[in-house]
Amino acid sequence: MAMAHVDGASALTLAEDADTVCKGLASDAGAVKIDSATLQAPSPLAVAERGPTSSGRVTPANPAFCKVLGHIEPTDPKAPPIRFQVNLPVEWNGRSLQYGGDGFNGVLITGLALPPAYPFDKPSPLARGFVTYGTDSGHETKPGEPPQAFALNDEAFENFAHRAYKKVRDAAVALMERAYDKRPQKMYFMGSSEGGREGMTMAQRYPEDFDGIFSRVPVINWVGLQHAGTRSGLVTMGDAWIRPAQVKLVGDAVRAACDKADGSDDALVQDPVDCKSTFKPQKLRCASERNGDQCLTDPQIKAIDTLHGAYKFPFPLANGLDDYPGWGVSGEDTPSVGPTGGWTAWWLGTAPPAQPPAPNNGIAWIYGAGTIQYVFARDPKLDVTTYKPEDHKARLLEISQLMDSTNPDLSRFRAHGGRLIVLEHMADYAQSPYAGIRYFENVERLMGSATTDLFARLYTAPGVDHVGSGAPANVDMLSVLVDWVEKDKAPGDLEVTEQKVEAPAFSVVRALPLCRWPAWPHYKAGPVTDSASFFCAQ
């Protein structure tokens, strides 16, 4: 089968009898157990009719490869094993790509899907010759069980925090050495959301393990996020809950206030930072004693102000942070499908917050309230309305040290030659994009802007929700990383596209510049669906 190799890689192959080499990888020695190793035939591209995300509908074509399933035994017999999958292409380009997880993990990441932000029409990393791999992070979520239940076991939670990704990385390297008789020349990591946090964790905790890391919408201030998400839910209980028609009212008002600020009328807020200070929800206040879909009550306005405001802790957490940045504006009414969408998907749900959280609640409430019960208070029956962080200070500090990937000292990662790209979506209501922006600015403050510029980039995509919908969001960051790591070709402003989920063309319906922070796209002339019609500037 013809392979689409990335430029500059020397091809290695499994020995002539790939099936024999593959089967020979199964082993039962030591803590790392290889449960099965099976040669897979090439598979075609497939597109599902439905899916929780646009990219999730696309199953890329993959070449012949050895599919290895394994697990790492726990130290605590009550802890679950760490499960992993490693995919070894028959024709290898000498590189590997570890995929991050999402949410609370608990599902095996196969390494066979499209990585974060990846264009739908590009050959998969495996088809490009990369060894790909992923893990369940050391627990398996069971049907009907809260996704945080595993956290009651200390080892399972430490694995989720950081140990699983390191252990699986090392197991994958050992497999590559056995299969190809050679270590990987370059190692890459790509993750989004929780997977983005994992990427930042690797750069901070294991700075010599990866050469290139792409972290999209990383949930780095993890303890802060869970508290802020819970607070935003609590404030919508009762009469303050915002109905779907009112969500559209707010979305329309934001666009009316800010859409044309960049010079174009494209129904997209290009500079959401400036818009956050321009848009005032108070302008939508209902006249006295009135309540309807075309206005907001005082409790509803207070709820929006709470969402936009920082969450303040009574004491500092890891790396001196004592707050979580508030959310921004734009994309409030992005349609909801699973984790895709704006306020309804993440903040409000289709019914006011319940205790215990109900499936029709906003995901942030389901995540935050459950985390307070299972992780911070370790009391699954806790009434979240009575919870106070100061009552659990020692536990919060312990979890913050494990989970908050907020250490701005990346000097060892830089010394190793590592390259880091962070992408924040500015209409993200799962986590605040301002958390990643603040982290990047803290790196610049500590290491200096000129030094940071040598190895790290922050990009911001206007109008894009947490999972890549609402505005152009697709960009081949794997190629960008490879060029930077291996050719020292530092990226400038890039381009993001919005594509139809229709094979095989996956035609581009809209494109925009992807500007380096703190620049935004500004309109100059031409069709608003064409990135050449815009330029990046502050």
Side-chain angles (χ1 to χ4, degrees):
M1 178 180 176
M3 297 296 295
H5 289 307
V6 177
D7 293 344
S10 57
L12 294 165
T13 58
L14 293 173
E16 203 167 303
D17 186 355
D19 189 47
T20 303
V21 174
C22 182
K23 284 176 179 166
L25 295 173
S27 71
D28 196 28
V32 179
K33 314 284 189 188
I34 305 302
D35 302 314
S36 67
T38 318
L39 193 67
Q40 306 291 306
S43 56
L45 169 74
V47 177
E49 278 190 37
R50 292 185 188 80
T53 65
S54 295
S55 64
R57 291 173 54 196
V58 181
T59 301
N62 280 314
F65 70 97
C66 178
K67 175 183 174 181
V68 179
L69 294 172
H71 70 276
I72 302 170
E73 297 280 5
T75 304
D76 173 5
K78 293 181 181 173
I82 299 166
R83 301 194 180 277
F84 61 85
Q85 178 169 331
V86 181
N87 310 301
L88 303 156
V90 170
E91 297 181 61
W92 185 38
N93 66 15
R95 304 182 180 96
S96 70
L97 173 63
Q98 182 166 348
Y99 282 57
D102 57 67
F104 290 87
N105 291 336
V107 174
L108 179 62
I109 301 300
T110 66
L112 298 177
L114 297 175
Y118 207 70
F120 305 153
D121 56 324
K122 293 278 183 186
S124 73
L126 185 58
R128 289 166 65 166
F130 285 75
V131 167
T132 65
Y133 57 102
T135 175
D136 67 357
S137 84
H139 66 276
E140 201 173 318
T141 301
K142 297 175 177 61
E145 180 182 83
Q148 308 91 340
F150 74 94
L152 297 174
N153 180 280
D154 286 339
E155 184 175 333
F157 193 81
E158 271 199 44
N159 284 334
F160 171 65
H162 65 92
R163 292 193 190 282
Y165 321 111
K166 166 63 172 170
K167 287 182 175 182
V168 167
R169 179 259 182 209
D170 292 349
V173 170
L175 271 167
M176 285 179 255
E177 285 191 278
R178 286 179 60 201
Y180 304 106
D181 201 25
K182 191 172 181 181
R183 289 176 67 85
Q185 295 161 309
K186 296 294 178 186
M187 303 193 69
Y188 296 89
F189 190 106
M190 298 180 77
S192 186
S193 189
E194 159 57 24
R197 183 199 69 85
E198 292 159 21
M200 304 294 264
T201 295
M202 302 316 279
Q204 293 166 33
R205 283 187 186 268
Y206 308 107
E208 295 176 357
D209 277 6
F210 290 95
D211 303 290
I213 295 173
F214 172 44
S215 287
R216 184 176 79 159
V217 296
V219 291
I220 51 174
N221 298 52
W222 194 86
V223 172
L225 171 61
Q226 306 306 334
H227 284 79
T230 306
R231 176 196 67 167
S232 298
L234 288 169
V235 80
T236 64
M237 284 184 161
D239 294 340
W241 189 70
I242 299 166
R243 299 184 294 277
Q246 294 171 306
V247 173
K248 185 178 185 307
L249 172 77
V250 175
D252 287 341
V254 169
R255 284 184 289 273
C258 305
D259 174 20
K260 296 178 185 175
D262 68 299
S264 72
D265 185 359
D266 61 354
L268 188 63
V269 176
Q270 311 284 13
D271 184 352
V273 174
D274 185 65
C275 185
K276 188 171 179 179
S277 56
T278 302
F279 169 71
K280 303 295 180 195
Q282 289 77 6
K283 291 182 178 177
L284 301 173
R285 176 179 276 120
C286 296
S288 58
E289 304 302 316
R290 292 191 58 201
N291 183 358
D293 287 346
Q294 294 310 305
C295 62
L296 298 172
T297 64
D298 284 342
Q300 290 174 323
I301 290 168
K302 181 189 173 189
I304 295 170
D305 286 341
T306 300
L307 179 78
H308 290 165
Y311 178 95
K312 189 81 172 168
F313 283 93
F315 49 84
L317 299 167
N319 301 304
L321 298 180
D322 65 356
D323 71 342
Y324 186 80
W327 275 262
V329 298
S330 78
E332 290 81 4
D333 54 351
T334 300
S336 239
V337 185
T340 298
W343 278 6
T344 301
W346 286 98
W347 180 27
L348 298 166
T350 54
Q355 280 206 93
N360 59 359
N361 290 160
I363 302 170
W365 172 254
I366 294 169
Y367 278 7
T371 300
I372 282 170
Q373 291 170 321
Y374 283 89
V375 180
F376 303 130
R378 281 192 155 176
D379 176 4
K381 292 184 168 56
L382 176 80
D383 177 353
V384 177
T385 62
T386 67
Y387 168 85
K388 293 185 177 66
E390 50 270 36
D391 295 342
H392 304 273
K393 181 177 179 180
R395 179 68 175 162
L396 261 62
L397 293 175
E398 178 188 0
I399 297 299
S400 184
Q401 288 293 341
L402 283 170
M403 287 295 296
D404 288 344
S405 304
T406 53
N407 181 0
D409 185 0
L410 297 176
S411 53
R412 288 174 60 206
F413 180 70
R414 188 215 158 202
H416 166 67
R419 301 287 188 268
L420 171 68
I421 296 175
V422 181
L423 172 58
E424 287 289 0
H425 295 165
M426 298 310 295
D428 184 355
Y429 291 100
Q431 61 95 39
S432 172
Y434 295 97
I437 290 169
R438 177 170 70 180
Y439 173 78
F440 192 84
E441 291 179 338
N442 285 343
V443 174
E444 289 186 314
R445 198 170 290 119
L446 178 70
M447 302 187 68
S449 294
T451 299
T452 304
D453 193 58
L454 297 173
F455 75 96
R457 292 283 183 276
L458 169 62
Y459 294 94
T460 46
V464 185
D465 78 343
H466 189 60
V467 297
S469 294
N474 292 353
V475 54
D476 180 5
M477 283 300 192
L478 184 55
S479 291
V480 173
L481 271 177
V482 167
D483 281 348
W484 198 7
V485 167
E486 300 179 25
K487 301 177 186 174
D488 203 26
K489 185 181 171 186
D493 296 326
L494 302 171
E495 179 181 285
V496 276
T497 61
E498 187 174 4
Q499 296 174 279
K500 282 186 181 176
V501 191
E502 291 177 4
F506 298 109
S507 56
V508 173
V509 294
R510 184 164 52 155
L512 273 176
L514 181 62
C515 304
R516 288 181 60 187
W517 172 261
W520 303 105
H522 294 256
Y523 180 71
K524 49 186 180 185
V528 294
T529 53
D530 186 349
S531 73
S533 303
F534 297 82
F535 64 97
C536 291
Q538 292 187 40

